[in-house]
Amino acid sequence: MLSWVKEGLGELAAALFGILVFLWWVGGPGVTAIVWSEGERRLALQFLAAWAVVTALYFAASWLIRRARRA
């Protein structure tokens, strides 16, 4: 019974993480487009740059973690 609960919680966590990643990928450029259409071009570019930096940092950190686990 305990293993079922652990498995269910693991699947739930994986699904929530997948939804979060999807929202991140769609949300960054989407919010940029909305802000750009409102006429705030500078703010839109700043937001897009921040989104790109956070995304790049995520990829670098995940690569380092994966590499550390293999070592």
Side-chain angles (χ1 to χ4, degrees):
M1 179 73 172
L2 183 60
S3 64
W4 290 352
V5 172
K6 286 183 182 179
E7 185 178 328
L9 289 176
E11 289 180 19
L12 179 64
L16 289 175
F17 182 73
I19 291 170
L20 183 67
V21 168
F22 176 75
L23 290 175
W24 178 259
W25 280 106
V26 172
V31 170
T32 300
I34 291 169
V35 174
W36 185 281
S37 70
E38 294 293 323
E40 298 287 336
R41 291 181 172 26
R42 185 179 180 121
L43 181 62
L45 290 176
Q46 289 172 346
F47 179 81
L48 187 61
W51 177 82
V53 167
V54 170
T55 302
L57 288 174
Y58 167 77
F59 281 130
S62 67
W63 178 76
L64 287 172
I65 291 169
R66 217 175 301 125
R67 186 172 175 188
R69 282 186 173 176
R70 290 182 188 158

